[in-house]
Amino acid sequence: MLTIENINVYYGNIQALKGVSLTINQGEIVTLIGANGAGKSTLLKTISGLLKPKQGQILFEKSSIAGNAAQSIVKKGISHVPEGRRVFANMTVEENLELGAFLRKDKAGIKEDFEKVYQLFPRLLERKKQQAGTLSGGEQQMLAMGRALMARPRLLLLDEPSMGLAPLLVKTIFKIIEEINQSGTTILLVEQNANMALSIANRAYVIETGRVVASGTPEELDSSDQVKLAYLGGH
């Protein structure tokens, strides 16, 4: 579904991604693991069109999207839930969700997706007339995910969905990520909580200072001493 070949991405003179290649198959949950500043968020921003690679290819369903405008990438079927949630604080929950469907014209489908989002996140239904800025961190995370789903993506990019959330809420968010995946959406997940991410992923890539240094199934990575020591608490 997504093929990234040898991309190099820079912030000014600083190279953030160095020859990164990876693939995501339809229906998978693939997770990116790595320390802060390793380049994980940069990779998601490059896929979603917020950053342009200097070299390399990004193919989504066999067509090149490298350097395309962000809105055209959303139109093609990729939605990005950024780190730090980024909800529109002065707008209501409902208005935030409406914005997620901004590029769509199919009124019946949009209505159906509102219902789906409220089924996945009943808390948002209770708060639909409330300003997004007044929601708790967990509720804002649900809203950011719900807003991305309103674009009806085939590939969902999730950047640190559990960041700053209480452990119980983290479990809830991960359960919902699995449900989204089971309903047919492919997921690329960036997550500091490596153990949690691997517990739901089909495959994972480990990124260190802008390079992919290991990849495999959760079982394969769990049996690698280097990965275990660095990211999985060395157990």
Side-chain angles (χ1 to χ4, degrees):
M1 187 181 218
L2 186 79
T3 305
I4 294 176
E5 290 171 359
N6 209 20
I7 60 166
N8 294 312
V9 177
Y10 291 78
Y11 290 108
N13 294 326
I14 296 163
Q15 190 168 1
L17 294 179
K18 302 163 185 167
V20 169
S21 298
L22 60 84
T23 55
I24 298 170
N25 303 310
Q26 194 164 349
E28 284 189 307
I29 297 179
V30 173
T31 186
L32 301 177
I33 294 168
N36 268 340
K40 307 183 302 295
S41 295
T42 301
L43 183 56
L44 295 195
K45 286 177 183 163
T46 307
I47 295 168
S48 66
L50 299 173
L51 293 170
K52 291 183 172 32
K54 220 170 195 170
Q55 287 94 19
Q57 280 266 40
I58 303 175
L59 301 172
F60 178 59
E61 294 174 334
K62 299 196 171 66
S63 74
S64 174
I65 58 167
N68 285 16
Q71 66 269 30
S72 80
I73 289 174
V74 172
K75 237 183 189 151
K76 285 191 164 85
I78 299 177
S79 284
H80 183 175
V81 181
E83 186 182 353
R85 315 190 241 286
R86 308 280 173 90
V87 296
F88 298 101
N90 301 328
M91 298 171 88
T92 65
V93 165
E94 198 164 36
E95 287 165 342
N96 267 271
L97 292 175
E98 268 168 12
L99 273 177
F102 182 71
L103 294 171
R104 292 173 58 184
K105 301 281 181 278
D106 54 321
K107 285 211 166 72
I110 292 170
K111 188 170 174 288
E112 195 183 301
D113 285 349
F114 258 111
E115 281 162 21
K116 274 190 197 159
V117 167
Y118 287 143
Q119 267 175 347
L120 268 179
F121 304 105
R123 192 81 60 86
L124 295 183
L125 181 59
E126 292 163 21
R127 308 253 191 282
K128 70 178 186 178
K129 297 295 180 204
Q130 208 169 305
Q131 280 196 333
T134 65
L135 302 178
S136 72
E139 290 161 351
Q140 287 189 14
Q141 184 59 54
M142 292 171 187
L143 179 55
M145 287 165 70
R147 183 181 62 195
L149 290 173
M150 288 300 294
R152 207 173 264 192
R154 293 191 298 288
L155 174 63
L156 182 63
L157 312 176
L158 288 172
D159 198 350
E160 301 286 6
S162 80
M163 191 187 252
L165 301 186
L168 202 64
L169 254 179
V170 173
K171 280 201 173 114
T172 305
I173 292 286
F174 270 84
K175 204 167 128 282
I176 291 165
I177 292 170
E178 284 189 286
E179 282 175 37
I180 292 168
N181 177 248
Q182 281 153 10
S183 71
T185 307
T186 304
I187 292 173
L188 178 58
L189 170 67
V190 162
E191 181 52 61
Q192 282 283 276
N193 187 335
N195 286 307
M196 199 75 182
L198 287 174
S199 74
I200 65 166
N202 302 98
R203 291 184 305 112
Y205 289 86
V206 180
I207 295 188
E208 271 176 22
T209 56
R211 294 178 203 282
V212 172
V213 294
S215 65
T217 63
E219 297 71 33
E220 285 163 350
L221 292 180
D222 200 41
S223 62
S224 150
D225 291 343
Q226 177 199 355
V227 172
K228 264 212 304 225
L229 273 171
Y231 304 105
L232 307 178
H235 58 268

